[in-house]
Amino acid sequence: MWNYMLFSALVLLLSILYHCYFNKPVSMIDRPYADYDYIIVGAGTSGCVLASRLSEASNVTVLLVEAGGYFGWVSSVPLLSPMIQGTEFDWSYFTEPQKFSSRGFSNHMQKMPRGKGLGGSGQMNHLVHSFGRPEDYDGWPEGWSHVDLLPYFEKVSDIMNVMSSPEEEFLADAFLMSEEVLDMGHATLQKGLYTSKKGSRWSTLHAYLQTAWNRRNLHILTNTLVSKILFKDGTIVDGVKVIQKDGSVRRIGARKEVILCAGVINTPQLLMLSGIGPAEDLDKFQIPIVKDLPAVGKNFFDHIMLPIYVNLEAKVSITLFKLQTLPEVVNYFVFGRGWYATNGVMGVGRTNNSGVMLFGMGSTEERILKTISNYMTEPYRSLYPSYNDSAQEGFLYLSYCLQPKSRGSITLKSRNIRHQPRIDPAYLQNYDDVLCTHNAINFAIRTLESKKFREFGAKVHHPDLDECKHLPQDYRDLEYAECVMRVGGLTSYHACGSCRMGDVENAVVDEQLRVRGVSGLRIMDASVLPAPISGNPNSVLVAMAERTSDLIAGRS
């Protein structure tokens, strides 16, 4: 009881301090100028980088427009990132009902959280760092090869403070020792890497925007929704139309460029509502066509992960009970250490195109996780057997295909910018993704045969799902594994690709990320990725934004 009271008191105190002592930066404005050189739409991972880099030149003016405001202090605690989902800081999107997956979710729909506020999804993700594999960039346009991006990767690794957990992680050690039992070709295992500083989240909001937001040539307009891109003389960008918090609508001109950093969902939606997209789709909503660009909204992809629960006998995992103890709470809020200072991802591994992440938390809070994921009760409890035991020791292997072949789409539902578009990731539509994920499952299970995991009493839990009862309850059986995948596979929040770059007809932007067929419009966010990254894409996007700023400034 006293632990809960202390924790509540700390929450209240931090909230008061945050609101009382947070000084408003010079760049934060309520009334924008009539015109700027550059208008950046979206203060997410990429938008923060571009706003910072472009405003380094004192002879240009930059406006950063963000639909949300400031994230609360909870977002700064790495382990609490799921708590942001479903709040005012989340766009709270839903997918369309899925035909080939998500059968354990209400209406076969998955939630697709996206950050809404300064820092964007970088303020609510799990902070996992990865640049993928060199071969991921094969086939990307000129200037975007792995060799081309290497200098930016090195720069980002330093600026974003990439690190592994300083905590003693017995599960990570056991995971790395599993190499002794693996004979699956090119298997690699490593500790989880993430971006953090002094126990707190370290996103591009902190690393880039906060270093620049007292520059007088940079203006930041929050709680403002960009509803349309404006054009003159047919296809030349003239500026944007915005709706501010008080409901007022205004036009803001762009002398040089409008740069879309609104994200994989909002960017194609804004393009289509502005008249850029597939003509036949725009005609359905009587949207005047500026440029018939069929590729807008296509090539949408995401990693879908199967959570495999592993029971443990040894007390070596993170549990809700441990997190609620007084020493753990004090350790974080006083010293900035402990489990709260980590993201819980202790190890990552891959073999060929199959990957796993070891998430070291053994117990879950049913009310929270079931709500934010949209799981139905029976599938949730089958997949997560610790749902009613806050002291249960165990962990999750998140198994997935690094290079999924399934492709979905983003399309309009209405002409209203406030209505979410139709989001269809088409999870597991391509059967190769099932086989690839099954290989990841076998990879994960094989690691548990190592000496250290056996000492911990590691044992795979096989969910007793109604849909899969007629099959052998063994993940090594392909039919059973496929059944569980199609019931319980969960988004990894790695959605990308809806405005792909390339030098072919089915691309939206060219090799300099300029939108094809119009002048003065560029995109830099997850939508431009032509193919998946073999890992978490956030750090790759930071590096790409760095290179984009060089392209715009003529440095590359």
Side-chain angles (χ1 to χ4, degrees):
M1 181 65 179
W2 286 106
N3 292 345
Y4 289 109
M5 292 178 65
L6 176 62
F7 187 77
S8 299
L10 281 169
V11 169
L12 179 61
L13 177 61
L14 286 169
S15 298
I16 293 172
L17 290 173
Y18 183 85
H19 289 291
C20 289
Y21 295 98
F22 187 84
N23 294 318
K24 186 177 181 179
V26 169
S27 295
M28 304 298 296
I29 59 155
D30 296 317
R31 294 182 176 275
Y33 293 160
D35 300 276
Y36 293 84
D37 291 317
Y38 298 101
I39 297 176
I40 301 169
V41 181
T45 293
S46 301
C48 287
V49 176
L50 287 171
S52 176
R53 290 304 185 206
L54 293 180
S55 64
E56 287 176 343
S58 58
N59 62 335
V60 302
T61 55
V62 180
L63 174 66
L64 178 62
V65 187
E66 170 52 44
Y70 292 104
F71 279 77
W73 72 268
V74 173
S75 67
S76 68
V77 184
L79 196 64
L80 298 186
S81 57
M83 304 296 291
I84 306 299
Q85 295 181 31
T87 69
E88 62 181 302
F89 309 110
D90 181 7
W91 286 94
S92 298
Y93 290 136
F94 278 88
T95 68
E96 291 297 293
Q98 294 298 286
K99 296 180 181 178
F100 307 96
S101 70
S102 312
R103 294 167 185 167
F105 296 76
S106 295
N107 300 316
H108 295 189
M109 300 164 69
Q110 297 215 23
K111 289 189 176 180
M112 186 74 64
R114 298 284 100 183
K116 186 179 183 180
L118 294 175
S121 296
Q123 283 297 103
M124 61 187 295
N125 65 9
H126 285 277
L127 299 171
V128 179
H129 165 78
S130 172
F131 290 133
R133 302 175 296 177
E135 55 266 38
D136 292 345
Y137 306 87
D138 293 348
W140 285 34
E142 182 180 356
W144 298 98
S145 71
H146 188 265
V147 172
D148 293 324
L149 288 171
L150 265 178
Y152 296 99
F153 290 162
E154 293 169 1
K155 185 177 184 179
V156 167
S157 294
D158 181 47
I159 294 174
M160 294 303 294
N161 203 49
V162 176
M163 60 182 291
S164 61
S165 174
E167 302 304 312
E168 187 174 19
E169 295 180 342
F170 297 105
L171 287 176
D173 294 339
F175 181 69
L176 296 178
M177 292 178 188
S178 297
E179 284 188 342
E180 63 189 22
V181 298
L182 295 174
D183 57 357
M184 303 182 69
H186 301 90
T188 60
L189 304 174
Q190 68 178 61
K191 287 193 72 173
L193 298 174
Y194 67 114
T195 57
S196 176
K197 200 164 193 177
K198 297 180 180 178
S200 295
R201 173 178 297 274
W202 192 248
S203 70
T204 58
L205 168 65
H206 312 99
Y208 288 88
L209 190 61
Q210 287 186 358
T211 66
W213 66 7
N214 281 308
R215 295 174 186 161
R216 298 196 176 275
N217 64 325
L218 170 64
H219 282 177
I220 303 170
L221 197 58
T222 59
N223 298 302
T224 301
L225 184 65
V226 175
S227 61
K228 192 175 183 179
I229 305 163
L230 303 174
F231 296 88
K232 62 182 178 181
D233 300 328
T235 58
I236 301 173
V237 168
D238 192 35
V240 296
K241 183 168 77 171
V242 302
I243 306 171
Q244 294 194 257
K245 188 176 183 180
D246 61 3
S248 61
V249 178
R250 66 173 69 221
R251 172 210 170 275
I252 308 174
R255 289 187 286 265
K256 293 186 177 181
E257 284 189 19
V258 170
I259 307 165
L260 301 185
C261 302
V264 67
I265 296 171
N266 296 47
T267 286
Q269 180 190 27
L270 182 57
L271 283 175
M272 288 184 280
L273 290 176
S274 303
I276 301 175
E280 58 182 355
D281 292 344
L282 302 185
D283 285 341
K284 294 176 185 176
F285 298 97
Q286 299 179 321
I287 298 173
I289 297 171
V290 173
K291 175 63 180 176
D292 177 14
L293 209 54
V296 172
K298 306 299 190 294
N299 190 52
F300 182 58
F301 54 81
D302 186 14
H303 293 131
I304 184 170
M305 294 180 162
L306 180 65
I308 299 175
Y309 192 88
V310 179
N311 289 291
L312 294 170
E313 295 176 2
K315 298 184 182 300
V316 292
S317 65
I318 308 171
T319 67
L320 285 176
F321 178 79
K322 293 175 184 176
L323 290 175
Q324 293 167 352
T325 60
L326 181 59
E328 193 64 39
V329 172
V330 171
N331 198 22
Y332 180 74
F333 287 102
V334 176
F335 302 107
R337 295 185 57 85
W339 294 124
Y340 285 107
T342 75
N343 64 353
V345 178
M346 299 179 179
V348 296
R350 61 188 176 214
T351 175
N352 299 319
N353 280 335
S354 302
V356 298
M357 286 197 290
L358 192 163
F359 183 69
M361 192 155 181
S363 57
T364 57
E365 215 295 321
E366 178 178 10
R367 180 180 57 83
I368 295 175
L369 187 55
K370 192 175 71 170
T371 300
I372 65 175
S373 64
N374 202 39
Y375 273 121
M376 292 187 289
T377 299
E378 186 275 328
Y380 174 82
R381 292 181 175 181
S382 294
L383 288 161
Y384 304 93
S386 63
Y387 67 89
N388 64 349
D389 186 354
S390 64
Q392 172 67 47
E393 295 283 343
F395 66 89
L396 289 173
Y397 262 143
L398 302 171
S399 308
Y400 64 114
C401 185
L402 299 171
Q403 291 291 317
K405 295 181 180 179
S406 300
R407 293 292 184 271
S409 63
I410 305 291
T411 53
L412 294 179
K413 281 186 177 180
S414 82
R415 293 183 56 165
N416 191 330
I417 187 68
R418 297 188 185 278
H419 294 169
Q420 81 151 66
R422 195 182 310 277
I423 303 166
D424 183 10
Y427 292 128
L428 302 180
Q429 182 176 28
N430 191 309
Y431 189 68
D432 284 351
D433 295 350
V434 173
L435 298 176
C436 178
T437 305
H438 187 233
N439 191 43
I441 294 169
N442 286 330
F443 176 39
I445 292 174
R446 188 65 188 274
T447 65
L448 301 179
E449 298 174 6
S450 66
K451 179 182 177 182
K452 184 60 69 173
F453 272 130
R454 290 200 308 269
E455 289 178 3
F456 291 163
K459 185 178 180 181
V460 174
H461 165 74
H462 292 92
D464 185 24
L465 296 162
D466 288 340
E467 295 90 338
C468 312
K469 284 183 183 295
H470 62 291
L471 298 167
Q473 304 293 289
D474 187 343
Y475 275 124
R476 288 169 294 189
D477 180 85
L478 176 57
E479 284 189 79
Y480 172 77
E482 178 184 354
C483 182
V484 179
M485 279 180 227
R486 296 196 188 276
V487 172
L490 183 67
T491 173
S492 62
Y493 316 119
H494 300 167
C496 300
S498 57
C499 293
R500 64 169 295 178
M501 65 172 166
D503 53 4
V504 291
E505 291 183 2
N506 63 344
V508 175
V509 297
D510 64 15
E511 68 280 358
Q512 295 194 46
L513 305 187
R514 298 170 299 196
V515 176
R516 294 184 173 280
V518 299
S519 177
L521 183 60
R522 205 181 299 248
I523 303 174
M524 177 54 244
D525 56 32
S527 69
V528 304
L529 266 64
I533 299 298
S534 297
N536 296 52
N538 193 71
S539 292
V540 175
L541 295 173
V542 181
M544 291 177 68
E546 281 275 18
R547 182 171 188 270
T548 302
S549 70
D550 283 349
L551 286 172
I552 295 171
R555 296 188 294 262
S556 177

